[in-house]
Amino acid sequence: MPQIVNRYSRGAGLLDQLACPEGAHRCNRLPAAPRLRDMTVVPYRAAPDASSWPHCDVALPGGVECRGRRVAPHTACLAHLSGTDRSAYLADLRPGADLDHRGTCFTEELLSELLTAHTEPSTLKPRLGQARFERATFRGDARFDLVEIDSDALFDGAKIAGDISFNQAEISGRALFRQVKIGGNAGFDRMNCLIASA
């Protein structure tokens, strides 16, 4: 049975379990602790194996396989779609749609384009359904500030070269950040979610 924690403790928990640069636990230097609704501490489980989704068919330098999830009906991930195919995919997205970009490599520009495609005209905030970013790589910052996620936000095994922020984000389901590696700061100021686990 998971333990229910009614008040988030800044001294221990989600932020302490994120992997920040060695010797620099900048995650704890946030201006205010996140307010999580009934944070649930769940038993540890490893991040999903990258073989559990259809991989991009693009070969990276050195012949290494790209592990980004294919964007149907294409055989490439979002990062490797041609300009025309990427533009068509982004144009078809609507606020509240599910995203599955497991294993995909994001630049800050690509993430911004993806979130802009999900922006709700009435609130001017990105609104996603389920957001799957397990084992994704973010080459710069990963900013999900003000985003509304109607289901789960899954980031297990993700790697963020820069900062990650979910400031004032609203997540209706689980927020899972197990085995996440962060090169910069982590910001979760005034983030609301049902369940958080790192």
Side-chain angles (χ1 to χ4, degrees):
M1 181 79 163
Q3 175 188 359
I4 304 296
V5 180
N6 290 320
R7 193 170 59 82
Y8 182 80
S9 168
R10 231 168 93 127
L14 177 64
L15 297 182
D16 288 337
Q17 295 179 43
L18 297 174
C20 291
E22 201 154 319
H25 292 288
R26 291 176 281 175
C27 295
N28 291 325
R29 288 193 226 143
L30 298 174
R35 293 183 299 214
L36 306 179
R37 296 187 309 264
D38 294 330
M39 181 176 166
T40 301
V41 179
V42 296
Y44 172 81
R45 279 187 295 180
D49 181 18
S51 63
S52 64
W53 58 82
H55 292 176
C56 175
D57 68 355
V58 173
L60 302 175
V64 177
E65 175 189 33
C66 174
R67 296 188 173 245
R69 190 185 195 294
R70 292 179 181 181
V71 173
H74 308 287
T75 59
C77 68
L78 182 60
H80 293 119
L81 283 178
S82 69
T84 304
D85 289 339
R86 182 186 298 173
S87 295
Y89 169 75
L90 293 171
D92 283 344
L93 294 176
R94 297 290 175 261
D98 291 342
L99 286 181
D100 187 351
H101 293 294
R102 292 173 282 177
T104 302
C105 186
F106 284 90
T107 61
E108 290 180 28
E109 180 183 7
L110 181 58
L111 179 60
S112 177
E113 289 175 12
L114 183 64
L115 294 178
T116 298
H118 283 84
T119 298
E120 186 73 67
S122 62
T123 64
L124 300 180
K125 296 178 183 179
R127 186 169 65 84
L128 313 175
Q130 186 180 60
R132 300 200 69 171
F133 291 96
E134 294 107 317
R135 296 196 181 272
T137 298
F138 297 87
R139 290 189 175 163
D141 295 339
R143 301 207 176 274
F144 292 86
D145 300 328
L146 301 172
V147 73
E148 297 174 352
I149 300 175
D150 296 336
S151 184
D152 298 329
L154 307 174
F155 285 81
D156 291 346
K159 295 178 184 175
I160 299 98
D163 299 341
I164 183 170
S165 60
F166 277 82
N167 297 320
Q168 299 182 53
E170 298 279 339
I171 302 171
S172 298
R174 301 171 297 161
L176 302 182
F177 298 90
R178 297 170 294 201
Q179 297 178 324
V180 170
K181 294 182 180 170
I182 303 168
N185 295 313
F188 297 89
D189 186 40
R190 290 185 282 167
M191 176 181 117
N192 286 306
C193 67
L194 183 63
I195 298 171
S197 179

